[in-house]
Amino acid sequence: MVQSISLNMTNAALNAASGGSLGIPLIAASAAGNAEQEALQNGATIDEARTYGILMGGIEAGTEMLAGGLGKISEGLGFGKGVLDDQLVKALTKKMKSTALKNITTFAIKSVGEGTEEVLAGLGGAIAQKLTYMKEEDLKELIKNQDLMKAFLMGTLSSVIMQAPSTVTSTVQGRDVNTGLTQAQQEYVNEIADGDILKAHTMEI
């Protein structure tokens, strides 16, 4: 758990130092390097380890793009948004009037999304091992060794810890954690988007 959070924070710090330009490439490079070292330590040849590293870099980048569940920290530092969890958040919160309920729903979905991301990465990791330096091992056993339940819980808790500050602050201020707007401001923006400029101007006054 500590290692998972530490790795997330280290990547975030490096990305922040670059002005937010690294993002997904940093995740891929970091995962590839770590995976290559892991493979070498477990008896892989240099070529097998390198291939495994490349596969794991792609897997980590892909799962991060599907479910970026680390909240505003991840987005703000250039790690992007998750395609799946963001679409789910939009679908479930679209008609919600309560800002607090929207924020809680977003918090829950993104937390579970991060846990799911870790499970997908674990499954991908087992397959990558089977394709490279553990060809003789049974795939079911490799998947079992990934301890997917623990990976899910670690990913979820990591997201909870990293999302909590922005979620609490936004909720206390009455702001949507996704947009940073209060309900009144969002209604104003919606009126402009709908073309009702006169009504929006009246609300502003």
Side-chain angles (χ1 to χ4, degrees):
M1 177 64 229
V2 174
Q3 183 180 10
S4 175
I5 296 174
S6 176
L7 181 59
N8 286 330
M9 294 305 293
T10 299
N11 285 344
L14 290 173
N15 195 47
S18 74
S21 63
L22 295 178
I24 297 299
L26 174 61
I27 292 175
S30 177
N34 291 336
E36 184 172 339
Q37 289 301 311
E38 173 196 327
L40 288 172
Q41 291 170 5
N42 285 288
T45 65
I46 293 177
D47 286 342
E48 288 172 340
R50 185 173 294 119
T51 302
Y52 177 65
I54 292 172
L55 289 174
M56 287 307 299
I59 289 169
E60 288 291 344
T63 56
E64 183 64 33
M65 286 188 288
L66 282 176
L70 295 180
K72 301 299 285 185
I73 292 177
S74 177
E75 180 185 342
L77 292 176
F79 291 114
K81 295 183 175 182
V83 175
L84 297 181
D85 58 2
D86 278 341
Q87 291 303 315
L88 188 56
V89 165
K90 288 180 181 179
L92 293 180
T93 64
K94 187 175 182 180
K95 296 184 178 181
M96 290 183 181
K97 297 299 183 182
S98 168
T99 300
L101 183 57
K102 283 185 179 181
N103 289 348
I104 292 171
T105 302
T106 299
F107 181 83
I109 291 173
K110 288 190 173 292
S111 295
V112 172
E114 185 68 19
T116 303
E117 176 189 323
E118 295 299 325
V119 171
L120 293 175
L123 289 171
I127 294 172
Q129 287 175 334
K130 179 69 175 177
L131 293 174
T132 55
Y133 70 98
M134 291 188 172
K135 295 178 182 178
E136 304 303 320
E137 299 292 330
D138 182 64
L139 180 57
K140 291 182 179 179
E141 191 64 27
L142 292 176
I143 292 175
K144 180 180 178 181
N145 291 340
Q146 292 291 327
D147 199 349
L148 299 181
M149 179 57 72
K150 180 180 179 181
F152 176 79
L153 293 175
M154 287 174 63
T156 300
L157 186 54
S158 176
S159 181
V160 165
I161 292 172
M162 295 184 74
Q163 282 194 92
S166 61
T167 300
V168 172
T169 300
S170 296
T171 302
V172 169
Q173 294 177 346
R175 297 181 181 279
D176 188 314
V177 72
N178 293 306
T179 64
L181 302 176
T182 63
Q183 186 171 344
Q185 290 171 332
Q186 185 62 59
E187 290 175 355
Y188 178 74
V189 170
N190 291 342
E191 292 295 341
I192 293 177
D194 292 339
D196 196 344
I197 306 298
L198 180 59
K199 184 175 180 180
H201 181 67
T202 302
M203 290 175 63
E204 185 179 36
I205 296 174

